[in-house]
Amino acid sequence: SAVISQKPSRDICQRGTSLTIQCQVDSQVTMMFWYRQQPGQSLTLIATANQGSEATYESGFVIDKFPISRPNLTFSTLTVSNMSPEDSSIYLCSADGRDPPYEQYFGPGTRLTVT
Amino acid sequence: GEDVEQSLFLSVREGDSSVINCTYTDSSSTYLYWYKQEPGAGLQLLTYIFSNMDMKQDQRLTVLLNKKDKHLSLRIADTQTGDSAIYFCAESRLGGGFKTIFGAGTRLFVKA
């Protein structure tokens, strides 16, 4: 299993600014993922982050808006750049389990409000 | 398409059984999962079933898989107020990298 922590747990930011969210895993993992979850809605995958390579972004998400770092096998960051109120959401970090059933382990999420 | 579909809301009385249904599209899925999300928390794996199984029982939880119809269900027996949460159905896909596809989540309300 893996335990994932995220910082900050919540933040209120002004439009036009940027926020970096940190995700720390207590063990080495190969793949890490960043999701966005609007209140009461499902998860939307933003990107997949592998150590040593550039993140792979899903349709509708671009690196300039959501730059991701993955410097080692236990840590990743997601930056939400030039924020607007539409970016208000919960951002979740997750990591894949190494062994069957390959479940995903999730962090508690970062609740972002942009004013 | 890639959708995993499930109903959005379910309301039951405490002590009754809850049944949450899900349909998926990829017949090659290896594992199918049920995740639970409590308020203010991330998702946590509740149970899973391997694709060559029809049923899995784990205490109050029963998972049924109908591969022909691509239908997955989660039954919670003797539902308690602590079971109130959002339940996500998900399938795993291999090929071009491992990917987990999540449904929209079913919000379960348990009335005392």
Side-chain angles (χ1 to χ4, degrees), chain B residues 25 32 36 62 79 94 97 103 109:
Chain B
T25 57
L32 295 121
K36 179 182 181 182
T62 303
T79 311
L94 292 170
F109 296 95

Side-chain angles (χ1 to χ4, degrees), chain B residues 3 11 14 17 24-25 31 44 52 57 59 81 85 95 97 101 105:
Chain B
D3 289 348
S11 179
E14 191 174 23
S17 292
Y24 61 97
T25 57
Y31 292 95
Q44 191 165 14
N52 68 353
Q57 189 143 5
Q59 299 182 333
T81 54
I101 308 298

Side-chain angles (χ1 to χ4, degrees), chain B residues 52-106:
Chain B
N52 68 353
M53 299 170 63
D54 298 323
M55 185 181 84
K56 180 179 180 181
Q57 189 143 5
D58 183 2
Q59 299 182 333
R60 292 191 296 122
L61 306 176
T62 303
V63 179
L64 295 178
L65 175 60
N66 181 329
K67 287 194 72 173
K68 175 176 172 289
D69 295 335
K70 299 189 184 67
H71 183 267
L72 183 74
S73 69
L74 172 69
R75 179 177 181 268
I76 305 173
D78 187 24
T79 311
Q80 303 297 307
T81 54
D83 295 323
S84 294
I86 303 176
Y87 292 81
F88 290 90
C89 172
E91 61 172 336
S92 66
R93 295 181 186 173
L94 292 170
F98 188 87
K99 200 170 184 179
T100 303
I101 308 298
F102 288 89
T106 298

Side-chain angles (χ1 to χ4, degrees), chain A residues 35 37 42 100-101 103-104 106-107, chain B residues 31 33 35 37 42 45 100 103-104:
Chain A
Y35 291 87
Q37 184 180 26
S42 185
E103 70 181 279
Q104 284 200 22
F106 283 83
Chain B
Y31 292 95
Y33 311 90
Y35 284 82
Q37 185 181 32
L45 182 68
T100 303

Side-chain angles (χ1 to χ4, degrees), chain A residues 21-41:
Chain A
I21 303 168
Q22 298 180 9
C23 178
Q24 180 75 54
V25 190
D26 70 343
S27 58
Q28 294 185 341
V29 293
T30 304
M31 297 172 73
M32 295 181 72
F33 306 89
W34 287 99
Y35 291 87
R36 184 168 70 184
Q37 184 180 26
Q38 304 284 3
Q41 296 190 20

